[in-house]
Amino acid sequence: MYEGAIQDLIDELGRLPGVGPKSAQRIAFHILSSDTTDVARLAAALRKVKESVRFCVTCYNVAEEEQCRICRDPRRGNEVLCVVEEPKDVVAIERTGEFRGRYHVLGGAINPLEGIGPDSLKIRELLIRLGNGDVRELILATDPNTEGEATATYLALMIKPMGIAVTRLASGLPVGGDLEYADEITLGRAFEGRRAV
Amino acid sequence: MYVRRLELVDFRSYERVGIDLEPGGTVLVGPNGVGKTNLIEAMGYVATLGSHRVAADAPLVRAGAATAVIRCAIVHDGRELLVELEIVPGRANRARLGRSPVRRSRDVLGALRLVLFAPEDLELVRGDPGERRRYLDDLLVARQPRYAGVRADYERVVKQRNALLRTSYQRRKWAGGERDGADLVTLEVWNAQLIRYGAELLAGRLELCAALGPHIAKAYDAVAAGKGAAAIAYKIGSSGRGTERLSDPPDPLPDRAGLEELLTGLLADARPAEVDRGTTLVGPHRDDVLLTLGHLPAKGYASHGESWSFALALRLAAYDLLREDGIEPVLVLDDVFAELDAGRRARLADLVAGAAQLLVTCAVAEDVPEALRGARFAVSEGEVHRAD
């Protein structure tokens, strides 16, 4: 245990995801030995993220203005909508450069163990958006785990009757890898989802 | 397949120990409580990533040490493979296969195939249905590693579904008892998941039970010399309004789609009871395996000796089945011979004498039949020495 401010900093850092007590201590002493201007910049960045970052009123992605960059982009199509769990999933899909439609960020997945039901997610907002828009296809890009699958199933049940095509991202083998290195579960799913060539 | 060398660091009672093993029979002799079973437990851990004695990893690490290491050199088809596991209680274990680290310790599963019979296995016959389900599931995973994922997904779905039912139950209790609340809108979704993974697990278990049947009958007959016919039957569990009951699976066995239909029906029937009690009452996690001797169930009717022989027959049947798949597993018999009379000892010796590698522990060397006495190790407090 250290005294006063340094221990406070270690405790705060230790509460961050992925940071253990050892790393927290290392980061704290790194900050202590850094230049005052560097630390001021970090502190300003921390403060600014809470002050200026908002959520897009349309898709609930993180945004600097009322709407996010993607929702404001007139070159993107309105016909295909991709549903993801978190803003970082938007970034991941954007990196592919394959998708030119728009997004809807749910803010998580249905998870009764953590008390997250459909009401805690931006599902009502999604339905309103689908009701007055010209969306023809909805792509469900929730995580391929039990919670993500459950969320996808729930959305499919609600949205299919609206006459909108609902699709789910395929799960299968990583590209550019060796078949022998794929784990049994991925390989098993890939077998299930095989298609004619 | 056989284990050529086993090294332990800070595992249970051992600070540091290494033993060189050979194919064929090996006997580990030592007084009670010096750590014979610890050696076997370590090998079992390499094969299954779990202990057959405790659920948590903390007791496996020697008191005062932070982590335990198991190194195991396994020879299969003339090639040697080194598996290293570092057990870190409360965290993910670190594993190496050959010389290189693997991303998940699960990747070492399958490197060592081992069938272990230990005194704890008496619970397979006398204990709760959970013991028998685990026996089936462990064997299922050993034969087809894909089931490790199915099992994990299924357990996760049951947990989530239970959380949903429980929250709804508690909310109703607070509100003063209105039935089947609107907060169960996502139940359908979890039903779909439960049916999907449940049917997959059920299909695997039913197929396995059918394959095990003849092997169990044969093994019991050999150990008990024709005293009653041992049989195994899978039972599908379900609860109506507060009544537990088990039923036979349909005959002939349906395919996956048929099993999904079966589970769908069971879930629909159980819904009022599930909402009432706030938990999942239907699915493979409520099933049981009925073991019978002659016409009587083994649980409750079989004598101590019969139960013991039955448990042994279950393990030997698993061994036979894995052998049929083409990979000769290592066979380990922990403290078995002291429990058996001379006739049973001799018959068991005949049955297992052909094993590629057989490890036997005992307190008194004379308990082990002559035919199985190969290499011999003397185990004393924290040490193992060759003694022949």
Side-chain angles (χ1 to χ4, degrees):
Chain A
M1 285 291 274
Y2 299 91
E3 287 174 24
I6 189 76
Q7 187 62 43
D8 291 345
L9 181 58
I10 292 172
D11 290 347
E12 285 304 320
L13 290 169
R15 283 160 58 182
L16 300 176
V19 182
K22 289 263 169 66
S23 305
Q25 185 175 314
R26 211 168 122 212
I27 298 167
F29 279 97
H30 173 82
I31 290 173
L32 189 63
S33 64
S34 301
D35 226 37
T36 315
T37 53
D38 287 345
V39 176
R41 208 168 47 237
L42 175 64
L46 283 174
R47 197 170 304 125
K48 195 167 165 227
V49 79
K50 277 313 272 185
E51 280 166 5
S52 70
V53 174
R54 297 182 294 178
F55 290 95
C56 171
V57 292
T58 312
C59 74
Y60 300 93
N61 191 5
V62 286
E64 288 269 298
E65 297 170 37
E66 188 141 298
Q67 279 197 315
C68 73
R69 195 171 40 79
I70 294 167
C71 288
R72 276 183 284 137
D73 190 344
R75 292 165 303 171
R76 300 187 78 113
N78 285 323
E79 285 168 6
V80 188
L81 190 66
C82 181
V83 179
V84 295
E85 289 181 19
E86 305 284 348
K88 54 181 191 276
D89 302 328
V90 173
V91 177
I93 296 174
E94 279 301 288
R95 272 204 303 266
T96 68
E98 291 293 328
F99 183 61
R100 300 298 299 156
R102 305 207 192 254
Y103 293 93
H104 189 86
V105 182
L106 293 174
I110 295 174
N111 189 335
L113 279 173
E114 287 175 15
I116 302 172
D119 297 344
S120 333
L121 305 172
K122 302 289 179 201
I123 290 178
R124 197 176 312 120
E125 291 80 352
L126 173 66
L127 295 177
I128 294 169
R129 222 178 142 186
L130 293 175
N132 56 22
D134 26 31
V135 176
R136 289 212 325 265
E137 183 189 348
L138 190 76
I139 302 172
L140 300 174
T142 49
D143 290 346
N145 52 28
T146 46
E147 291 78 21
E149 290 291 341
T151 311
T153 313
Y154 180 74
L155 291 174
L157 282 173
M158 304 207 43
I159 290 158
K160 267 191 191 150
M162 297 170 76
I164 297 168
V166 180
T167 53
R168 177 90 175 105
L169 287 192
S171 49
L173 297 170
V175 177
D178 288 319
L179 199 66
E180 59 182 289
Y181 287 126
D183 68 293
E184 302 79 26
I185 299 164
T186 308
L187 198 51
R189 298 264 156 88
F191 254 98
E192 244 182 355
R194 69 187 184 275
R195 55 169 193 236
V197 289
Chain B
M1 180 181 283
Y2 71 95
V3 174
R4 194 191 55 74
R5 186 173 166 79
L6 177 72
E7 278 177 24
L8 305 177
V9 180
D10 291 330
F11 184 88
R12 289 272 192 189
S13 55
Y14 296 100
E15 191 175 338
R16 187 174 281 272
V17 74
I19 48 175
D20 289 299
L21 298 161
E22 288 159 20
T26 296
V27 182
L28 302 166
V29 195
N32 294 328
V34 295
K36 299 183 295 292
T37 301
N38 296 350
L39 297 169
I40 277 162
E41 185 182 28
M43 281 190 211
Y45 198 95
V46 173
T48 61
L49 294 180
S51 157
H52 71 283
R53 297 151 92 190
V54 287
D57 282 346
L60 303 180
V61 180
R62 194 173 64 92
T67 65
V69 178
I70 309 172
R71 271 183 220 103
C72 200
I74 301 147
V75 179
H76 178 50
D77 275 346
R79 285 168 203 281
E80 184 166 308
L81 183 65
L82 191 74
V83 176
E84 184 180 304
L85 280 172
E86 189 179 355
I87 302 169
V88 194
R91 297 245 299 277
N93 293 345
R94 279 187 284 266
R96 294 164 84 87
L97 202 54
R99 294 276 167 208
S100 39
V102 291
R103 208 151 48 88
R104 289 159 315 186
S105 54
R106 215 177 59 209
D107 291 343
V108 309
L109 284 177
L112 174 62
R113 289 208 173 193
L114 178 133
V115 172
L116 166 67
F117 177 72
E120 286 84 355
D121 286 336
L122 198 54
E123 288 295 303
L124 288 177
V125 181
R126 301 190 151 177
D128 295 333
E131 303 281 343
R132 289 178 285 282
R133 288 194 296 263
R134 193 164 62 229
Y135 163 77
L136 285 186
D137 290 348
D138 284 348
L139 187 54
L140 207 53
V141 171
R143 293 181 79 201
Q144 289 162 280
R146 177 172 71 88
Y147 279 103
V150 177
R151 189 182 180 181
D153 280 344
Y154 180 76
E155 282 166 9
R156 181 92 187 144
V157 169
V158 171
K159 259 195 203 146
Q160 290 283 17
R161 198 172 178 274
N162 281 343
L164 182 68
L165 287 165
R166 196 169 49 243
T167 324
S168 153
Y169 171 80
Q170 278 159 355
R171 210 172 291 161
R172 256 193 336 275
K173 220 166 67 177
W174 279 99
E178 209 176 303
R179 255 181 96 120
D180 209 350
D183 47 353
L184 287 173
V185 281
T186 58
L187 193 62
E188 278 311 306
V189 168
W190 295 108
N191 285 357
Q193 303 267 88
L194 187 92
I195 289 162
R196 176 181 164 195
Y197 297 118
E200 205 172 344
L201 189 58
L202 194 54
R205 286 188 188 171
L206 287 169
E207 199 188 320
L208 181 62
C209 269
L212 272 172
H215 290 286
I216 291 172
K218 194 186 99 196
Y220 187 83
D221 192 49
V223 180
K227 295 210 180 81
I232 176 173
Y234 194 83
K235 295 285 174 185
I236 290 172
S238 64
S239 296
R241 285 165 198 275
T243 57
E244 306 277 333
R245 61 167 199 273
L246 293 166
S247 56
D248 291 315
D251 187 48
L253 287 180
D255 57 359
R256 270 271 288 284
L259 290 173
E260 287 188 5
E261 219 169 282
L262 176 82
L263 282 174
T264 309
L266 289 175
L267 272 174
D269 290 345
R271 182 175 165 123
E274 288 194 327
V275 172
D276 254 5
R277 289 164 58 179
T279 190
T280 301
L281 299 171
V282 171
H285 69 293
R286 307 282 290 199
D287 295 349
D288 196 2
V289 178
L290 184 68
L291 306 172
T292 49
L293 271 180
H295 296 293
L296 293 173
K299 186 178 178 175
Y301 290 89
S303 70
H304 179 78
E306 285 171 331
S307 301
W308 183 270
S309 300
F310 208 132
L312 181 58
L314 289 174
R315 290 296 179 203
L316 292 174
Y319 177 71
D320 266 354
L321 201 60
L322 288 171
R323 205 142 74 147
E324 248 184 26
D325 291 345
I327 296 173
E328 186 97 359
V330 174
L331 184 61
V332 181
L333 302 176
D334 185 17
D335 222 356
V336 168
F337 289 96
E339 285 269 353
L340 300 173
D341 60 38
R344 285 182 191 212
R345 273 182 200 172
R347 281 191 296 274
L348 177 57
D350 283 346
L351 207 61
V352 300
Q357 187 174 38
L358 172 69
L359 293 161
V360 178
T361 70
C362 60
V364 185
E366 285 64 39
D367 281 350
V368 179
E370 196 73 47
L372 302 180
R373 284 186 219 161
R376 189 161 145 187
F377 289 88
V379 183
S380 54
E381 205 71 58
E383 283 176 46
V384 184
H385 295 289
R386 182 101 193 202
D388 52 13

